[in-house]
């Protein structure tokens, strides 16, 4: 078996966002202080935010596509023309295969807060 590599599942989103000069939602929710600031800006109080490291192993490149289709990206993918959707699927699988990715970092930030009803 080849060398095992880890990848942050959000790396593509972040790198693409910075190329176009705007902030993606993942930049606003990637660490407890950013989440706290976001909630505070929305009028929340008594905010508690904590990070939890996590990972998800994949046994083959096709597992990545299964994860994509079981995530919030499914709706976006399903809006693509079938031929384009297949090209996107093949390109994703090939990139994961070529990079030898076997472990996805899926860290989360959990938060609770309160907000007065108006």
């Amino acid at each position: 078996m080849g060398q095992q590599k880890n990848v942050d599942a959000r790396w593509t989103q972040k790198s693409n966002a910075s190329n176009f000069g705007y902030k993606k939602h993942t930049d606003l929710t990637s660490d407890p202080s950013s989440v706290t600031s976001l909630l505070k800006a929305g009028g929340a109080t008594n905010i508690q935010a904590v990070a939890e490291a996590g990972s998800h192993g994949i046994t083959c490149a096709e597992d990545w596509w299964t994860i994509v289709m079981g995530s919030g990206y499914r709706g976006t993918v399903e809006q693509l023309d079938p031929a384009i959707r297949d090209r996107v699927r093949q390109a994703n699988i090939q990139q994961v295969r070529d990079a030898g990715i076997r472990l996805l970092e899926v860290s989360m930030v959990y938060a609770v807060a309160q907000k007065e009803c108006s």
Side-chain angles (χ1 to χ4, degrees), residues 16-88:
N16 286 343
S18 63
N19 290 339
F20 294 104
Y22 64 90
K23 207 170 209 184
K24 293 285 279 187
H25 69 279
T26 53
D27 294 334
L28 300 173
T29 59
S30 60
D31 63 80
S33 85
S34 295
V35 170
T36 298
S37 295
L38 182 65
L39 292 172
K40 191 177 288 186
T45 60
N46 299 324
I47 304 164
Q48 297 175 15
V50 296
E52 182 175 305
S55 62
H56 185 79
I58 59 174
T59 58
C60 64
E62 288 77 6
D63 285 351
W64 167 248
W65 194 250
T66 301
I67 292 168
V68 169
M69 294 306 289
S71 74
Y73 291 114
R74 181 186 192 113
T76 301
V77 170
E78 288 183 339
Q79 291 179 42
L80 298 173
D81 174 88
I84 293 171
R85 182 172 46 231
D86 190 54
R87 284 197 336 238
V88 169

Side-chain angles (χ1 to χ4, degrees), residues 85-104:
R85 182 172 46 231
D86 190 54
R87 284 197 336 238
V88 169
R89 179 182 163 279
Q90 292 299 331
N92 267 261
I93 290 170
Q94 192 61 50
Q95 184 171 350
V96 170
R97 185 177 291 126
D98 291 348
I101 296 168
R102 292 287 181 241
L103 187 67
L104 305 174

